[in-house]
Amino acid sequence: MSLIHPTALVERGAELADGVEIGPYCTVGAQVRIDAGTRLLSHVSVQGRTRIGPDNVIHPFCSLGAVPQDKKYGGEPTELHIGSRNTIRECCTLNLGTAQDVGVTRIGDDNWIMAYVHVAHDCQVGSHVTFANCTQLAGHVHVGDWVTLGGFTGVHQFVRIGAHVMAGIHSVLTQDVPPFVLLGGTPAVPHGINAEGLRRRGFGPERIAALRRAYRALYRQGLPLEQALEQIGAEARADSGASAADLGLLCEFVAASTRGILRP
């Protein structure tokens, strides 16, 4: 059975799995579905077509599934999907998608989302991500797995952030950030490979060394972008191990960028 506090308001039609906890003064809309083990601690608003997976913990004064902050939104049946085992701290706002994109804002699994974070319409956030306090994502932003964004980081709409990126406090991101990069500043500039983060995730010395060489080709040798990608691609083709996959991921990301990558 779900545990619903007497002061909570759960509209008829909401689907709550066994073991869901709805704390004091929470509101849950009629089109919401929440899976087993998720806890809304207090004063949480969940509205719209919102799907929340199992074992999430959502702290007070969060607003999930509210209409997008987009003047083009006309009431279309868009959605918010939140995965499993996420921690969402106080006063976060995660909005529905829009008909101008895929129509779904997505949050993956095992994310640590700290206070006052805003995830706007149509953002696609991976898993094992950390957003420090007051991180702000504009609409249509894509964030890969294992990304860490420091406090007060702002991300421009349509920016893509590759896997294993780390941004320092007060970073402002206006262009795509390739995987594995360490960056910071206003506007943000690259500062090397996120080597410490990679080591913590089991990347060995050879993989990190290969990524350092790729970073030098991309950022330090003064090569045109196409030539830098050719050099990185050649090393990837010459390596049959894990480094080949890392370098291939880097090349694919840069080649697919439409905004242009963060590059001095």
Side-chain angles (χ1 to χ4, degrees):
M1 297 268 310
S2 299
L3 301 176
I4 303 174
H5 193 274
T7 61
L9 299 175
V10 179
E11 294 184 17
R12 187 183 301 275
E15 299 179 31
L16 306 181
D18 289 345
V20 169
E21 297 182 23
I22 309 296
Y25 302 103
C26 294
T27 60
V28 179
Q31 297 175 304
V32 171
R33 187 179 73 211
I34 304 178
D35 289 340
T38 286
R39 300 165 59 208
L40 279 55
L41 298 188
S42 75
H43 298 84
V44 176
S45 172
V46 188
Q47 304 299 322
R49 290 172 170 81
T50 296
R51 307 290 179 260
I52 304 178
D55 300 318
N56 297 280
V57 180
I58 302 169
H59 286 251
F61 302 104
C62 288
S63 173
L64 310 180
V67 299
Q69 298 179 45
D70 186 332
K71 291 182 178 179
K72 298 186 296 297
Y73 182 73
E76 297 88 354
T78 55
E79 301 181 359
L80 168 66
H81 293 178
I82 298 173
S84 306
R85 300 176 302 279
N86 296 289
T87 295
I88 302 176
R89 294 302 301 257
E90 296 81 0
C91 303
C92 292
T93 52
L94 283 62
N95 293 163
L96 299 173
T98 66
Q100 286 72 41
D101 201 326
V102 295
V104 180
T105 304
R106 289 190 176 90
I107 307 292
D109 304 325
D110 300 295
N111 296 307
W112 184 255
I113 300 176
M114 297 170 69
Y116 294 96
V117 167
H118 176 61
V119 179
H121 55 88
D122 303 296
C123 288
Q124 310 293 309
V125 176
S127 298
H128 305 284
V129 163
T130 298
F131 293 158
N133 296 318
C134 299
T135 295
Q136 308 288 294
L137 305 187
H140 316 283
V141 167
H142 287 219
V143 180
D145 295 341
W146 298 103
V147 167
T148 298
L149 300 182
F152 298 92
T153 292
V155 185
H156 194 280
Q157 61 183 352
F158 294 103
V159 161
R160 297 165 59 242
I161 302 173
H164 300 283
V165 163
M166 182 172 184
I169 188 172
H170 281 289
S171 297
V172 174
L173 281 57
T174 59
Q175 291 181 291
D176 293 347
V177 183
F180 312 109
V181 169
L182 179 70
L183 61 116
T186 306
V189 293
H191 292 289
I193 291 297
N194 181 19
E196 182 58 33
L198 297 176
R199 278 191 288 268
R200 292 177 181 179
R201 292 164 208 143
F203 281 62
E206 292 183 0
R207 293 176 72 183
I208 293 175
L211 288 170
R212 289 188 190 278
R213 291 192 295 272
Y215 180 88
R216 286 196 292 271
L218 200 56
Y219 287 107
R220 293 287 182 260
Q221 295 179 1
L223 300 174
L225 184 59
E226 294 78 8
Q227 189 175 341
L229 289 178
E230 289 176 6
Q231 182 171 316
I232 298 168
E235 180 165 353
R237 291 188 293 273
D239 191 327
S240 59
S243 294
D246 298 336
L247 298 176
L249 176 65
L250 180 61
C251 288
E252 290 172 9
F253 182 97
V254 174
S257 175
T258 57
R259 290 188 60 82
I261 65 166
L262 187 72
R263 204 172 189 226

